Amino acid sequence: MTGYNEPEYFTKARQEGRPVVKEPPKFDLDAYIANYRGKTRFDRLYLIGSTSSYLYLEALKGAIAEAKRGKDVSRYEVAVATLREISPNDPDATPDLGWIDKMNKQVKAETDRLELELKGYKNNLIKESIRMGYDDLGQHYHSIGDLAASTKSYARMRDYCTTPSHIAIMSFRIIHVSIDQANWLAVQSNVQKIRNLNQKPADTEKHQAKLSAAMGVAQLASGNFRDAAISFLATDPRMITAKLDDPSDEESYNEIITPNDIAVYGGLCALASMDRNELQKHVLENSNFRNYLELEPHIRRAISFFVSSKYSSCLSILESYKSDYLLDLHLQRHIPQLYFQVRSKSIVQYFIPFSCVTLDAMASAFATSEGSIEEELVDMIDRGTLEARIDLQERVLLAKRTDARSKVLEEALEMAKDYERTAHLRILRMEILYAGLDVKAPKGQGMGSGLGQGYGNMGDVLIGPSGPQGKSGLRSGGRFG
């Protein structure tokens, strides 16, 4: 983009430490956003518009248009304010006061109507009508952006749910609102609630993909990359066959996540948290997840390269898609840590066969400069990720030497001590049996002699010929040996 001047908004954002993406992404914005429906369309468009200095105008205009198709006035005002800050002369940067006033009146009238209907249902004491009334009111509050009131309405449905399917519907509604609220603990607890329901097998199977996807999103947001990978890898492939443009299709979950997202999220989390054997077994050989990987073949190639120890090729693929991932609603803030973990694992795996390697060779292997690789290695050593030392005089990375001979001797000595103790206890037990000093507890007291419970505890009472009070009697409450 010759002669392109970045708007001051993004320069300021970069100075404040907020992510800014200058490079054009690989996806087409219209085709990308068409895969989603509901409030996530606005969220994703607004994120792209406030992050990408290349797509900001198209994305923010799309966000404004999307907001005007809904009822959430606050979102419309936020999008217009952001566009006005970036491009004050744009026609869409002026708020449509007529639409705002009209929509506020419609929202108030709709709220009053639904609350009045619910009051009537309560007076009639019809549980199903009350449940549906709370459901309608919760969806209305969600659509206008009042997430707290929406959650409260859905929670009040619980007393009027009479079947497991009613509870499942309520929990899915709460999961959706909780994701918009970034209340990840509520997402996970409601996923578990649905899983613990006594549902029909067909319903359990139908819900599996959505539950795994929702749990994966919550675990990813919490930074639990391995748990998130396991959840995404377990997602049933039936979601792939869903019609994304049909809201009535129960297999679709594109108000939250698409099959392409599952492939990307699951692949990146697995790369960051699993070793090569696990990646081969749980990802590449996973017949269910393979269906998702086919939607994003570059993720499959990156994982295959990592498993094959072609770390430079793996990292090159990830780097080429970094701008796309920085514009993703759920990935953006985790990309630096995910990429760091993948790169750190690659460096550790590369270094394992060597006792020493030059910094120049490592820089060439990972397609970077010698200075950059040195900084990475110092950081990894400080974090304890890499067990090595850097010789700055010779410019080499040295593996920490371990005295294998001393380690073997220590293990052998410990084994000998264990053997000696076991032999002593066995001889002691044989002598006790030979002398007739073992006594079994009377039936019903549950004391036991202790001789069968391990050699360390030799029983509660040992007596000789003179009895427990006699001169030769022995009383034991401790351990032998």
Side-chain angles (χ1 to χ4, degrees):
M1 296 178 63
T2 307
Y4 169 72
N5 293 321
E6 184 178 78
E8 186 180 348
Y9 172 90
F10 295 103
T11 305
K12 184 180 178 181
R14 191 179 283 109
Q15 292 171 351
E16 293 174 352
R18 287 183 282 147
V20 175
V21 179
K22 191 173 183 179
E23 299 77 16
K26 294 183 180 296
F27 61 76
D28 176 75
L29 183 61
D30 291 335
Y32 167 77
I33 208 64
N35 292 325
Y36 301 93
R37 61 182 168 88
K39 297 174 76 66
T40 192
R41 284 172 60 93
F42 174 88
D43 292 334
R44 291 176 182 272
L45 284 168
Y46 181 77
L47 178 78
I48 294 170
S50 59
T51 304
S52 173
S53 61
Y54 182 86
L55 284 176
Y56 74 91
L57 193 60
E58 184 181 355
L60 285 175
K61 282 177 172 288
I64 290 171
E66 186 66 31
K68 292 188 77 172
R69 282 194 286 268
K71 304 175 185 177
D72 193 343
V73 174
S74 62
R75 290 192 168 198
Y76 170 76
E77 292 174 334
V78 167
V80 170
T82 303
L83 180 59
R84 184 167 62 250
E85 188 176 354
I86 300 175
S87 181
N89 298 322
D90 192 279
D92 288 333
T94 304
D96 186 344
L97 299 179
W99 179 85
I100 293 175
D101 184 58
K102 175 185 173 184
M103 188 52 61
N104 281 330
K105 290 178 180 179
Q106 287 184 7
V107 166
K108 187 178 184 309
E110 181 71 5
T111 304
D112 292 341
R113 183 184 68 82
L114 290 172
E115 289 179 346
L116 186 62
E117 285 183 358
L118 178 60
K119 187 176 180 180
Y121 297 148
K122 288 182 175 180
N123 291 334
N124 294 332
L125 299 177
I126 303 174
K127 294 187 71 172
E128 178 62 11
S129 297
I130 297 173
R131 184 187 72 83
M132 293 299 296
Y134 275 124
D135 189 29
D136 292 340
L137 196 58
Q139 292 187 63
H140 169 68
Y141 281 133
H142 193 186
S143 68
I144 65 175
D146 193 345
L147 302 181
S150 178
T151 302
K152 190 179 295 184
S153 294
Y154 290 141
R156 287 174 177 171
M157 288 172 60
R158 180 64 184 88
D159 293 336
Y160 304 97
C161 294
T162 56
T163 66
S165 62
H166 290 167
I167 299 175
I169 291 171
M170 176 199 71
S171 298
F172 271 119
R173 301 270 200 243
I174 295 176
I175 287 171
H176 193 176
V177 178
S178 299
I179 289 175
D180 287 347
Q181 288 179 309
N183 186 352
W184 307 115
L185 187 60
V187 173
Q188 296 184 53
S189 65
N190 278 279
V191 167
Q192 292 298 344
K193 182 184 294 185
I194 297 174
R195 285 176 172 171
N196 293 333
L197 290 176
N198 186 20
Q199 300 183 89
K200 298 176 182 177
D203 290 337
T204 301
E205 185 179 351
K206 181 177 68 176
H207 294 152
Q208 192 276 337
K210 291 183 179 181
L211 294 176
S212 295
M215 181 65 85
V217 169
Q219 291 164 335
L220 170 61
S222 303
N224 300 323
F225 300 139
R226 183 176 181 83
D227 291 341
I230 292 171
S231 293
F232 288 126
L233 294 175
T235 305
D236 193 287
R238 63 194 301 161
M239 193 182 291
I240 297 175
T241 62
K243 298 176 181 177
L244 299 180
D245 56 348
D246 184 3
S248 63
D249 191 335
E250 294 184 350
E251 303 296 344
S252 174
Y253 205 35
N254 61 340
E255 66 271 25
I256 302 294
I257 194 172
T258 64
N260 296 69
D261 293 332
I262 291 174
V264 173
Y265 298 174
L268 289 179
C269 289
L271 266 176
S273 60
M274 295 182 176
D275 59 34
R276 289 189 298 163
N277 291 333
E278 289 176 318
L279 287 171
Q280 179 67 41
K281 180 179 178 181
H282 299 304
V283 183
L284 297 181
E285 295 178 3
N286 186 330
S287 58
N288 286 337
F289 194 68
R290 190 182 302 134
N291 294 292
Y292 288 104
L293 286 179
E294 289 175 358
L295 302 174
E296 298 287 342
H298 65 280
I299 290 290
R300 180 177 52 79
R301 290 201 307 273
I303 295 173
S304 298
F305 282 137
F306 189 93
V307 170
S308 304
S309 301
K310 299 177 181 178
Y311 305 116
S312 179
S313 299
C314 169
L315 296 173
S316 176
I317 291 174
L318 295 183
E319 196 64 31
S320 67
Y321 281 86
K322 188 174 183 179
S323 59
D324 290 41
Y325 301 152
L326 286 172
L327 298 177
D328 184 89
L329 182 63
H330 298 295
L331 275 181
Q332 186 187 81
R333 70 187 183 92
H334 300 290
I335 284 299
Q337 183 62 25
L338 284 167
Y339 273 49
F340 171 79
Q341 289 186 206
V342 174
R343 190 171 180 85
S344 298
K345 282 174 53 185
S346 300
I347 291 173
V348 170
Q349 292 291 323
Y350 174 85
F351 185 58
I352 285 175
F354 302 101
S355 59
C356 67
V357 61
T358 64
L359 298 185
D360 180 62
M362 292 200 71
S364 299
F366 289 94
T368 187
S369 64
E370 193 172 323
S372 296
I373 198 69
E374 181 184 331
E375 291 178 3
E376 285 188 68
L377 293 173
V378 169
D379 185 39
M380 290 174 62
I381 292 171
D382 287 341
R383 291 172 181 245
T385 307
L386 182 64
E387 294 289 332
R389 296 178 293 115
I390 300 177
D391 186 339
L392 295 177
Q393 185 69 30
E394 300 294 333
R395 308 297 294 171
V396 295
L397 181 68
L398 302 170
K400 282 191 176 181
R401 294 181 180 179
T402 56
D403 192 341
R405 186 169 180 269
S406 297
K407 186 176 181 181
V408 170
L409 287 174
E410 288 177 4
E411 292 176 353
L413 184 60
E414 188 65 29
M415 189 181 300
K417 289 180 179 178
D418 289 342
Y419 179 81
E420 181 183 6
R421 180 173 179 275
T422 302
H424 171 72
L425 292 174
R426 286 181 175 176
I427 293 171
L428 180 61
R429 180 175 183 273
M430 287 190 294
E431 292 291 339
I432 290 172
L433 293 173
Y434 180 75
L437 298 177
D438 64 315
V439 174
K440 296 180 180 179
K443 292 183 178 180
Q445 293 187 12
M447 293 172 61
S449 67
L451 295 174
Q453 304 300 322
Y455 300 125
N457 188 350
M458 288 299 170
D460 299 293
V461 179
L462 297 177
I463 61 174
S466 300
Q469 305 297 329
K471 191 173 183 180
S472 63
L474 296 175
R475 190 175 297 273
S476 169
R479 289 183 177 270
F480 287 90

